[in-house]
Amino acid sequence: MSRAEQSEDAPEQAPLSEAAPLPVALILGAAVWPGGMPSPALERRVRHALSLWQAGVVSRLICCGGVGNHPPAESQVMRAMLIEAGVPGEAIGVEIRSKDTISNIGNALAQYPELWKGQVLIVTDGFHAYRARRIAAWFGLDAESASAPDDDIPRGLLMRARLREAGAMVKTTVWMALHH
């Protein structure tokens, strides 16, 4: 079979402009420490989101998180880290009012309605990913999680985080039942 005949028999492919758009990364907040320093969790999440963006896996990065115990807002610290790493400002969205995972996702959806139109990758820690996906599904969002590597988390701290997450899942389930 000639090359021309092979190409005629090949399935038609959509032009690049019609290809499915890349997902958007929704980076969930974590603590900011005194002096505006990112906590290790915040650093992990930003590093992972940055690696996804650099690899061309996501088209945009939306940073979520308001002011916790120490200013500035978690999302502002994330944005500064991403810009310092070379991500253009126009590729970064910032949600600055949220205080928890539910409001991270809910506020981002209200502020960035385009999230409803495509797939979202929720960037968080592995121990937090299941609850984050459940919350996203409750809002009706097409989302998967992209968990930051946790090999730098001390074993005892990781166990405490998993236990805390179990309690948070109960609280979240009650919240979902009451707000449905």
Side-chain angles (χ1 to χ4, degrees):
M1 187 181 296
S2 75
R3 201 176 188 99
E5 291 172 324
Q6 285 177 344
S7 64
E8 287 176 10
D9 292 339
E12 192 173 318
Q13 295 182 4
L16 290 178
S17 61
E18 293 178 24
L22 293 174
V24 172
L26 193 63
I27 313 166
L28 302 186
V32 171
W33 286 2
M37 298 301 297
S39 64
L42 194 63
E43 282 190 54
R44 256 191 322 277
R45 294 173 187 188
V46 171
R47 274 195 318 265
H48 191 56
L50 176 64
S51 71
L52 294 170
W53 187 82
Q54 289 172 332
V57 174
V58 297
S59 60
R60 189 150 187 233
L61 303 160
I62 297 181
C63 306
C64 298
V67 177
N69 292 331
H70 305 284
E74 297 162 358
S75 57
Q76 291 171 324
V77 172
M78 286 189 256
R79 184 177 195 280
M81 293 171 68
L82 291 166
I83 287 175
E84 186 176 314
V87 178
E90 59 272 7
I92 305 168
V94 177
E95 178 284 309
I96 63 169
R97 296 182 335 230
S98 59
K99 301 290 184 191
D100 57 26
T101 306
I102 292 169
S103 60
N104 278 170
I105 296 169
N107 291 350
L109 286 169
Q111 188 171 336
Y112 299 99
E114 65 270 19
L115 292 173
W116 293 105
K117 297 176 187 168
Q119 193 193 15
V120 174
L121 281 179
I122 299 171
V123 179
T124 189
D125 288 297
F127 58 81
H128 184 231
Y130 174 75
R131 185 165 62 94
R133 287 192 315 270
R134 289 283 313 271
I135 292 167
W138 184 88
F139 279 110
L141 189 62
D142 178 15
E144 294 181 17
S145 57
S147 301
D150 62 5
D151 51 349
D152 64 335
I153 303 173
R155 186 175 170 88
L157 184 60
L158 188 56
M159 292 303 290
R160 284 193 302 276
R162 288 177 177 152
L163 287 171
R164 177 196 172 280
E165 212 34 52
M169 189 65 228
V170 170
K171 179 181 173 184
T172 298
T173 301
V174 170
W175 181 88
M176 289 176 183
L178 294 174
H179 291 88
H180 218 347

